[in-house]
Amino acid sequence: MIQIRRFRPADAAEVAQMVATTLNISNSRDYSAAYLEKTVKRMKPQFFLDKAEQTHFYIVHDGNRIIGTGAIGSYWGSKTEYSLFDIFVLPTYQGQGIGELIIRTLEQDTYFKQAERVEIPASITAVDFYRHMGYAFKKGHETVDDEQLYRLEKFPQKQPAKVVSPQQQEGAS
């Protein structure tokens, strides 16, 4: 049964392995082997232990197997802007709604609910998924940056304008 919960320190080694597997399989069509190797080397268990101290970090598991991750944390120390981090789903579980589960969970987190703006550094591989989830290119960042990532954002507290029909207007008078 697929469930989501907060990261625990004991998860770090399995998370690092799951992320390495996902990067090397899912991102290999968009990134060079050297880029992926450098990224995997950086994302060792200690990376995720440190991340969990700075963010609200979640894992998705199927029984005892970790199959996905995602985190939300402050954007450079801001109290009004936050970032999504480390959203990964094992390749064998992609296309089954796990990524959407992670995003929905992060968007129910207290950090997201208090945010005026949420940014996500999106890989070339995942940019279309995040756009499908309602994230738009940050102004002036419609192409990949020096880190080979897109910068997308969402404004959670901006409510769409309420449209009032002519019939509703008549009823109000």
Side-chain angles (χ1 to χ4, degrees):
M1 183 163 91
I2 294 175
Q3 295 181 313
I4 193 163
R5 66 167 168 78
R6 290 289 287 270
F7 173 92
R8 298 178 191 140
D11 298 328
E14 188 177 352
V15 165
Q17 183 56 53
M18 187 273 305
V19 168
T21 298
T22 302
L23 283 166
N24 285 319
I25 294 171
S26 298
N27 297 68
S28 63
R29 70 177 182 272
D30 297 313
Y31 293 94
S32 70
Y35 178 93
L36 293 173
E37 183 179 339
K38 180 180 171 188
T39 303
V40 167
K41 277 186 180 177
R42 184 174 53 85
M43 299 177 95
K44 296 289 185 200
Q46 188 62 48
F47 173 90
F48 295 104
L49 290 167
D50 294 344
K51 182 69 69 163
E53 288 182 11
Q54 304 162 16
T55 66
H56 292 172
F57 191 20
Y58 297 85
I59 63 103
V60 180
H61 60 97
D62 185 1
N64 292 327
R65 184 178 188 196
I66 294 175
I67 62 168
T69 63
I72 185 168
S74 178
Y75 180 81
W76 297 104
S78 174
K79 299 286 186 209
T80 60
E81 295 184 313
Y82 291 85
S83 250
L84 302 184
F85 301 101
D86 306 315
I87 298 170
F88 292 96
V89 176
L90 267 177
T92 54
Y93 285 85
Q94 291 173 8
Q96 298 178 33
I98 307 299
E100 289 185 17
L101 171 65
I102 293 167
I103 296 296
R104 282 194 311 272
T105 299
L106 295 173
E107 289 182 350
Q108 291 302 307
D109 187 275
T110 55
Y111 284 163
F112 188 91
K113 289 183 174 189
Q114 70 190 31
E116 292 176 14
R117 186 180 80 87
V118 175
E119 181 168 311
I120 182 162
S123 68
I124 296 166
T125 310
V127 71
D128 290 338
F129 167 74
Y130 297 124
R131 294 191 69 211
H132 168 75
M133 296 301 297
Y135 290 80
F137 290 111
K138 188 175 172 181
K139 188 172 180 159
H141 295 269
E142 292 80 13
T143 58
V144 292
D145 62 16
D146 292 345
E147 294 180 63
Q148 296 187 47
L149 299 170
Y150 288 98
R151 302 295 166 168
L152 302 176
E153 63 188 356
K154 189 183 261 189
F155 297 90
Q157 295 186 11
K158 282 192 176 178
Q159 298 298 320
K162 191 172 185 178
V163 178
V164 179
S165 71
Q167 293 82 5
Q168 289 171 318
Q169 288 177 344
E170 286 175 14
S173 44

